[in-house]
Amino acid sequence: MEKEYNAQDIRVLEGLDAVRLRPGMYIGTTGVKGLHHILWEIVDNAVDEVANGFGDAIAVTVHADGSASVLDNGRGIPVDIHPTLNVSGVEVVFTQLHAGGKFDNESYKHSGGLHGVGSSVTNALSDWLTVEVYKNGTTYRMEFETREVDGQIKGGVPKYRLFDTGQPSPQKSGTYVRFKPDGRIFETVNFSLDVISRRLKELAFLNKGMRIILTDEHVRMGIGFLKREYFYEGGLIDFVKYLNETKTAAFPEPIFITGERDNISLEAALQYTDAYTENVFSYVNNIPTTEGGTHETGFKIALTKVLNDFARRTGVLREKDQNLLGDDFREGLTCVLSVKMQNVQFEGQTKTKLGNPEVKESVSAVISSRLTEFFEAPDNKIILDTVIKKAVLAAKVREAARKEKEITRAKNSIDSFNLVGKLSACSGKKPERNELFIVEGDSAGGTAKQARNRSFQAILPLRGKPLNAEKKRIDQVLANEEIRTIISALGSGIGEDFNVDNLNYHKVIILSDADQDGAHIRAILLTFFFRYMKDLINEGHVYIGLPPLYRITKKDFDEYVYDDAALEEAKARAGRGAVIQRYKGLGEMSAEQLWTTTMNPEGRTLVNVSIEDAAEAEKLVSILMGDAIDLRKAYIIENANFNKEDNFKAAQAGR
Ligand code: 1YM
């Protein structure tokens, strides 16, 4: 069944050509992120179908041949002929950039905004793609491929038209899509199970009752396929409980709010814990809004207003007292807010901030009325009292911390004197070029001082372990000597006073030993930056320096190796008789070695620390640095790559 070409098809192919020509315009990047983006396009369609009440399960499979597939039990993509385009619904969906006309998703109230460019983009960027639709008791099939047409490579070309295979449908109804990403487009074609499982789990939390099954068909160590199932009857309530697993909750069941107004539907779950930080995670149409936006603002305004009103009603605040601040009511709060709406406008640096102005009022109105109802119920009086008491305490501490900060500020000039002995500043005055190495231990600090290029590299040796910011209040954190030194050296302030414009060093490089202690110090420093200077990480200023683990020498052979896999490889290349030296710590290296392997921008490896998934990063920080020792042990055992800071989704940079 060879495809015949007509005028319409040519137009279609031009559309897909544009996608192959400029993939970045459609999927952002052709790196790992873009690779997963084309999977999300398909997953989003399945999730939209199920979230709108058609079907209840989705199965995602990573196959051993490098392809991925998604199956849902919804209605199945329309198989009938499109009235104007004259081809099947399936063909329209996979070849038209924005499927329109009869098939314009009218039956969906809300659908994913960010990934909205659709399944045709996945098709255009795949080696091949197969669709099966189960409907009317039968199986329809269509296949597409990338191939050479008239000397030019074309993506997403139909191999044949949609046809009824005559095979009985394996399930009542649904859609199955399997595709193999095109290696000519993507820098890497290896799907990350970690990335996929994290997103699928998040989707299952956000869509209660949706069953999502993940299978990895790569056989690992003879154990067989890996299978995970995500299903949360409690939805956001379960999400909040999961996030709070490592903390002590102030009351057992999260407060759940749901409502609809002006065509915006909303769900929120909230629970207070004994932590001192605020964790509000928001979503629009299942897409994380890391930078917040109007829905989050509406929520915060309502929470503050309702609780201040109750504080007055119950006499905790008297007439002469000032209102408590929003920050006070959000200390120790974990909240997930999920909004579903149409015509989403995203703003912000990373387009993860909801911009629609009307949303603020609608969200605030729903939250106000539902939260008031909740706290007015006599059964919930204890919760109300707990929450208000917590906020009053937070306000007191805030006042104490403000004084402490003033003292810190006043002492800043004195601190710089104290720093003289510790910080070896660089001579250059350009923050964009300057690097600060925070080095574990005085002795390694001394070596680094000799090794550095003093025109742009400053060294700050850390004596002991700095304070674990996860377990302390801000006033205690600020009292810690090591932390103060870091704050003072960076010059950009902390908390809400943090201003990246005042940063003295655009690269802040953590340099610690490649052992458990070194990993702990790294985790402590990252936790501190995460809690008090999040934008330092967000804006890509934090790096981890990777010293080599081994040096292999032989006549005419001299190489440094940074991990065990590379060691095996280098050993093989060096052959018999090679001498392997293992570096247990930075201190064992000479200044020259440290410079060549770890500090010289020409040859070093730096890992840039980033937080892409805020909810997961928050969870990890609390697991790794919190009190729940069992969970922490389990996590570290399960994730052997802890030492590589994979937890923070570190990306390779430099080198
Ligand atoms: C494994 C991927 O794409 N499922 C899916 C997609 C659609 C429908 C059902 C669907 C939508 C509508 C009506 C409608 C899509 N259809 C279209 C279009 N799973 C997957 N399941 N009937 C079925 O929106 O009206 C786009 S997506 F445009 F053809 F309607």
Side-chain angles (χ1 to χ4, degrees):
M1 250 188 284
E2 263 310 298
K3 183 177 162 24
E4 280 173 32
Y5 285 93
N6 57 33
Q8 274 165 351
D9 293 320
I10 291 165
R11 188 168 58 81
V12 165
L13 287 180
E14 269 170 8
L16 296 193
D17 281 348
V19 178
R20 286 185 71 87
L21 208 60
R22 291 197 191 77
M25 295 253 301
Y26 299 87
I27 58 165
T29 77
T30 52
V32 204
K33 234 180 149 171
L35 176 76
H36 290 87
H37 194 128
I38 67 166
L39 172 60
W40 305 141
E41 290 296 345
I42 307 297
V43 169
D44 283 352
N45 283 328
V47 168
D48 276 353
E49 179 73 2
V50 173
N52 281 278
F54 307 105
D56 60 4
I58 294 167
V60 176
T61 304
V62 178
H63 301 276
D65 64 357
S67 66
S69 65
V70 183
L71 168 70
D72 68 47
N73 61 355
R75 291 165 295 175
I77 300 178
V79 294
D80 48 332
I81 300 297
H82 189 281
T84 52
L85 297 171
N86 241 342
V87 294
S88 66
V90 170
E91 189 165 336
V92 175
V93 168
F94 285 89
T95 56
Q96 294 274 351
L97 275 185
H98 292 279
K102 181 187 159 202
F103 305 116
D104 62 358
N105 282 19
E106 261 174 12
S107 59
Y108 289 173
K109 249 207 301 198
H110 322 284
S111 65
L114 193 70
H115 305 294
V117 282
S119 309
S120 57
V121 169
T122 305
N123 189 22
L125 302 177
S126 291
D127 216 4
W128 51 260
L129 181 145
T130 306
V131 194
E132 282 182 3
V133 174
Y134 312 121
K135 241 187 213 272
N136 316 322
T138 187
T139 298
Y140 300 85
R141 183 180 299 128
M142 182 161 188
E143 285 181 62
F144 305 84
E145 66 180 356
T146 292
R147 68 157 181 243
E148 221 181 281
V149 176
D150 298 333
Q152 217 198 331
I153 296 184
K154 297 261 179 206
V157 183
K159 282 174 81 172
Y160 47 79
R161 284 264 150 82
L162 182 81
F163 76 110
D164 181 347
T165 63
Q167 289 159 354
S169 68
Q171 57 187 56
K172 201 168 148 275
S173 64
T175 306
Y176 175 80
V177 176
R178 178 166 173 176
F179 65 96
K180 185 159 192 260
D182 190 342
R184 284 162 288 202
I185 299 282
F186 295 100
E187 288 149 39
T188 165
V189 285
N190 295 326
F191 284 111
S192 153
L193 206 65
D194 207 41
V195 169
I196 296 174
S197 59
R198 224 181 296 173
R199 174 63 178 154
L200 295 183
K201 183 172 186 163
E202 181 178 56
L203 282 168
F205 275 132
L206 291 168
N207 297 280
K208 72 171 136 242
M210 187 182 289
R211 192 175 298 279
I212 306 184
I213 299 155
L214 169 63
T215 309
D216 181 5
E217 292 186 346
H218 291 89
V219 178
R220 40 193 83 222
M221 296 182 273
I223 302 172
F225 296 177
L226 179 143
K227 204 171 185 115
R228 288 184 190 159
E229 194 169 318
Y230 304 110
F231 172 76
Y232 301 103
E233 233 160 342
L236 296 192
I237 295 180
D238 289 343
F239 199 170
V240 166
K241 283 184 181 168
Y242 165 77
L243 290 169
N244 285 345
E245 213 171 31
T246 57
K247 302 172 180 166
T248 308
F251 42 90
E253 275 301 299
I255 303 170
F256 181 72
I257 293 171
T258 176
E260 188 168 335
R261 203 185 159 107
D262 311 320
N263 258 328
I264 298 166
S265 64
L266 156 174
E267 278 189 9
L270 45 154
Q271 189 179 40
Y272 285 86
T273 70
D274 62 349
Y276 302 115
T277 49
E278 154 192 344
N279 290 299
V280 176
F281 302 108
S282 60
Y283 295 82
V284 177
N285 297 347
N286 291 331
I287 300 159
T289 34
T290 326
E291 296 172 284
T294 47
H295 54 333
E296 234 183 85
T297 311
F299 165 80
K300 289 178 178 174
I301 290 172
L303 182 76
T304 310
K305 166 110 186 29
V306 168
L307 289 172
N308 265 318
D309 286 353
F310 274 107
R312 285 197 190 279
R313 267 209 242 172
T314 53
V316 174
L317 288 181
R318 273 157 301 172
E319 211 172 315
K320 63 174 178 30
D321 290 332
Q322 291 221 317
N323 269 349
L324 298 175
L325 298 186
D327 284 346
D328 301 330
F329 288 118
R330 295 194 301 274
E331 187 179 290
L333 172 69
T334 302
C335 169
V336 179
L337 170 69
S338 169
V339 168
K340 300 215 168 134
M341 57 180 284
Q342 280 174 322
N343 304 322
V344 178
Q345 291 155 21
F346 285 109
E347 295 178 347
Q349 280 207 321
T350 52
K351 292 268 174 275
T352 56
K353 182 175 181 182
L354 180 65
N356 304 54
E358 71 281 6
V359 175
K360 186 171 98 179
E361 193 42 51
S362 314
V363 170
S364 160
V366 173
I367 299 281
S368 288
S369 74
R370 294 292 142 85
L371 211 53
T372 305
E373 263 169 47
F374 178 87
F375 284 129
E376 272 172 350
D379 282 356
N380 298 327
K381 173 100 174 65
I382 302 176
I383 297 180
L384 176 66
D385 291 345
T386 312
V387 171
I388 291 181
K389 228 183 249 157
K390 249 180 100 61
V392 169
L393 187 62
K396 282 199 186 123
V397 175
R398 168 169 54 85
E399 188 52 27
R402 190 182 59 79
K403 289 199 185 119
E404 179 70 27
K405 263 200 241 176
E406 267 167 19
I407 299 166
T408 312
R409 260 187 226 131
K411 276 180 69 183
N412 244 350
S413 49
I414 307 164
D415 260 4
S416 339
F417 279 118
N418 287 344
L419 270 173
V420 173
K422 286 196 124 197
L423 175 79
S424 303
C426 54
S427 54
K429 296 278 173 257
K430 287 197 181 123
E432 313 80 74
R433 191 167 170 254
N434 289 349
E435 302 179 343
L436 176 68
F437 283 85
I438 303 179
V439 186
E440 171 185 358
D442 269 339
S443 99
T447 314
K449 230 181 271 181
Q450 288 169 21
R452 69 177 172 148
N453 178 337
R454 60 170 301 145
S455 76
F456 67 99
Q457 293 180 320
I459 310 292
L460 180 63
L462 288 185
R463 284 220 173 93
K465 275 191 189 168
L467 190 87
N468 180 356
E470 184 64 13
K471 293 183 186 161
K472 303 289 177 212
R473 276 178 195 274
I474 187 160
D475 48 337
Q476 296 166 300
V477 172
L478 282 173
N480 178 264
E481 188 72 25
E482 307 282 342
I483 298 276
R484 275 169 111 102
T485 317
I486 294 171
I487 299 171
S488 184
L490 294 181
S492 45
I494 70 164
E496 65 234 49
D497 294 340
F498 181 83
N499 183 352
V500 82
D501 295 340
N502 298 335
L503 186 63
N504 291 328
Y505 307 90
H506 280 207
K507 281 202 173 76
V508 178
I509 303 167
I510 303 172
L511 204 55
S512 63
D513 290 341
D515 57 14
Q516 273 301 314
D517 254 8
H520 194 219
I521 287 182
R522 270 198 313 272
I524 288 180
L525 287 170
L526 289 174
T527 302
F528 168 69
F529 292 142
F530 181 74
R531 289 292 180 215
Y532 293 102
M533 302 184 174
K534 205 170 257 178
D535 280 347
L536 192 71
I537 300 183
N538 276 339
E539 306 212 357
H541 294 298
V542 181
Y543 295 83
I544 290 160
L546 288 189
L549 289 183
Y550 305 96
R551 181 183 188 177
I552 305 183
T553 43
K554 204 182 143 178
K555 192 166 159 276
D556 297 331
F557 193 96
D558 187 355
E559 271 185 28
Y560 293 97
V561 190
Y562 294 79
D563 59 52
D564 289 326
L567 175 67
E568 291 312 314
E569 199 240 332
K571 268 198 319 210
R573 272 189 293 110
R576 283 167 154 274
V579 177
I580 299 162
Q581 182 189 358
R582 187 189 150 91
Y583 294 113
K584 290 207 199 67
L586 294 163
E588 290 180 14
M589 263 182 267
S590 71
E592 199 209 324
Q593 287 171 338
L594 189 64
W595 165 254
T596 339
T597 60
T598 315
M599 295 178 72
N600 181 0
E602 297 296 308
R604 69 188 177 191
T605 301
L606 290 186
V607 175
N608 189 205
V609 177
S610 73
I611 318 168
E612 277 175 36
D613 177 344
E616 199 57 25
E618 155 62 31
K619 169 89 179 168
L620 276 170
V621 165
S622 43
I623 288 185
L624 292 173
M625 305 312 301
D627 285 323
I629 291 161
D630 291 350
L631 268 177
R632 182 163 69 217
K633 276 198 185 137
Y635 183 84
I636 293 174
I637 292 166
E638 212 180 279
N639 296 268
N641 54 9
F642 169 49
N643 286 342
K644 289 189 194 145
E645 303 303 337
D646 244 30
N647 324 316
F648 285 83
K649 288 191 122 199
Q652 283 294 114
R655 228 300 90 161

